[in-house]
Amino acid sequence: MLERLGLMPTQASTVAGDVDALYLSLVALSVVFSVGIAAALAFFAIRYRRRSEAHEAEQIHGSLALELVWSIIPFVIAMGIFVWGASLFITLKRPPENAIEIFAVGKQWMWKLQHLEGRREINELHVPVGTPVKVTLTSEDVIHSFFVPAFRVKQDAVPGRYSTVWFEATQTGSFHLFCAEYCGTEHSLMIGTVTVMEPDDYQAWLSAGSGDGMAGPAHGDGPRSVAAAGGELFRDLRCHTCHRQAPGALGPSLTNVFGAQVTLRGGGTVRADEAYLRESIVDPRAKLTEGYDPIMPTFQGLVSEEGLMQLVAYIKSLAAGQDT
Ligand code: CUA
């Protein structure tokens, strides 16, 4: 009903109903308490007003029952809100395993998006309906925020860091994409469209070549996959001269490194996720792999955020068992 009155955006994702239920419950709870307290205040002010100069109030000292009531009821309400909110938060923060992946880079003042299969877009995102979609976000300059009101998802894109957001659209159509973090003079123009398509239409769209409003892939005809672009960059930057599977190689082999526990020089382990791979490219000495010397130069500033995402995608693809 609120949607039809234009008071709420369309509910177009699997979590939209749950987010609205929590939000509207919090609003209702606030209204009940605000109105209740205001009414009680007015009632008591009149009912117990001072009626004459000699009128003295009767003092009451302590009431266990009353104190228990005003402690236990708010405690139960607060814990209920916490458990409800936390469980929804966990759902929102954990993309399903079978989610398709999109890379998004925020930049003053646009969203640059790339599909794993290679198609790129600017300020437009095409996704299939009924399929979980995981978006890995970062920024080239300042903090932006990826916000799709109809999906009830919003996530900051922070420079130097990866964050993720996921959604599963439940209906086809076009939906607003906003930047929800003030990011400069043209922040209000940093808007786009999410187009939700039937899966078959999406597949056809994906293979239809280079993206709207962006130069096509530099090599070949069809779009190169992100991992293939990363592989090319990997060779262009001569990463493979050290990172190879050979005795005496100067860097660790990257085959099957993604998702693995890496033993660090000086003790400790770290799980090789996207953030770790990115850090190891821009700040190689931060977490050195056991058995290797700190000889890798930093690639900070030499590779764009999109390039970093491509390299990470390439290294992820090596976990499928291919050789460097
Ligand atoms: Cu980007 Cu506001």
Side-chain angles (χ1 to χ4, degrees):
M1 189 186 74
L2 290 169
E3 285 176 56
R4 246 169 266 134
L5 291 172
L7 294 174
M8 297 278 271
T10 320
Q11 293 181 340
S13 79
T14 49
V15 297
D18 297 339
V19 172
D20 286 358
L22 176 59
Y23 171 75
L24 293 173
S25 300
L26 290 175
V27 171
L29 196 65
S30 307
V31 168
V32 165
F33 274 94
S34 305
V35 170
I37 289 168
L41 200 66
F43 174 77
F44 290 140
I46 295 165
R47 175 75 177 75
Y48 298 106
R49 69 187 182 277
R50 198 171 188 188
R51 288 158 204 266
S52 72
E53 280 301 310
H55 192 184
E56 286 285 324
E58 190 187 325
Q59 300 294 330
I60 299 170
H61 296 283
S63 163
L64 184 64
L66 205 56
E67 283 170 22
L68 284 176
V69 167
W70 78 48
S71 302
I72 291 172
I73 291 177
F75 176 76
V76 169
I77 293 174
M79 283 300 121
I81 293 171
F82 168 71
V83 170
W84 189 0
S87 70
L88 186 54
F89 180 81
I90 290 168
T91 305
L92 288 168
K93 284 290 152 192
R94 304 179 80 176
E97 287 290 326
N98 59 341
I100 62 167
E101 288 199 57
I102 309 276
F103 296 105
V105 179
K107 175 182 189 291
Q108 287 169 320
W109 288 275
M110 65 180 83
W111 291 108
K112 297 194 286 188
L113 300 130
Q114 184 160 20
H115 299 253
L116 211 52
E117 292 78 2
R119 196 156 174 186
R120 310 166 109 185
E121 323 185 63
I122 286 183
N123 289 343
E124 285 200 44
L125 175 61
H126 290 74
V127 292
V129 70
T131 310
V133 176
K134 171 183 159 191
V135 185
T136 301
L137 293 157
T138 191
S139 166
E140 263 181 48
D141 36 45
V142 299
I143 301 177
H144 303 275
S145 184
F146 183 93
F147 181 32
V148 185
F151 298 165
R152 307 293 192 276
V153 294
K154 185 194 283 175
Q155 175 64 49
D156 280 4
V158 183
R161 189 192 290 186
Y162 285 161
S163 45
T164 58
V165 64
W166 80 273
F167 56 81
E168 179 178 331
T170 51
Q171 51 177 279
T172 56
S174 290
F175 304 98
H176 288 297
L177 164 64
F178 293 119
C179 175
E181 185 72 56
Y182 181 70
C183 55
T185 49
E186 288 178 32
H187 156 71
S188 61
L189 300 175
M190 191 166 161
I191 50 182
T193 309
V194 180
T195 304
V196 180
M197 315 167 90
E198 291 297 338
D200 290 348
D201 296 341
Y202 174 72
Q203 283 308 327
W205 176 89
L206 257 191
S207 47
S210 65
D212 313 78
M214 187 155 213
H219 310 268
D221 297 317
R224 274 178 315 164
S225 74
V226 178
E232 204 157 296
L233 193 54
F234 193 83
R235 283 179 291 278
D236 287 349
L237 295 167
R238 321 275 320 144
C239 307
H240 62 291
T241 53
C242 295
H243 291 286
R244 59 200 167 92
Q245 247 176 349
L250 293 175
S253 161
L254 302 180
T255 306
N256 288 328
V257 75
F258 183 77
Q261 290 289 335
V262 175
T263 308
L264 300 178
R265 192 176 157 125
T269 61
V270 65
R271 189 175 159 272
D273 57 7
E274 288 97 338
Y276 170 73
L277 296 178
R278 184 190 178 283
E279 181 188 59
S280 297
I281 301 168
V282 297
D283 186 8
R285 288 166 201 209
K287 297 193 182 76
L288 271 179
T289 303
E290 161 106 275
Y292 293 92
D293 291 322
I295 51 165
M296 176 171 156
T298 173
F299 286 83
Q300 179 102 54
L302 298 176
V303 187
S304 68
E305 286 298 337
E306 283 174 295
L308 289 171
M309 282 185 168
Q310 290 167 353
L311 287 172
V312 168
Y314 171 66
I315 296 168
K316 278 170 82 171
S317 75
L318 298 176
Q322 298 148 48
D323 208 39
T324 43

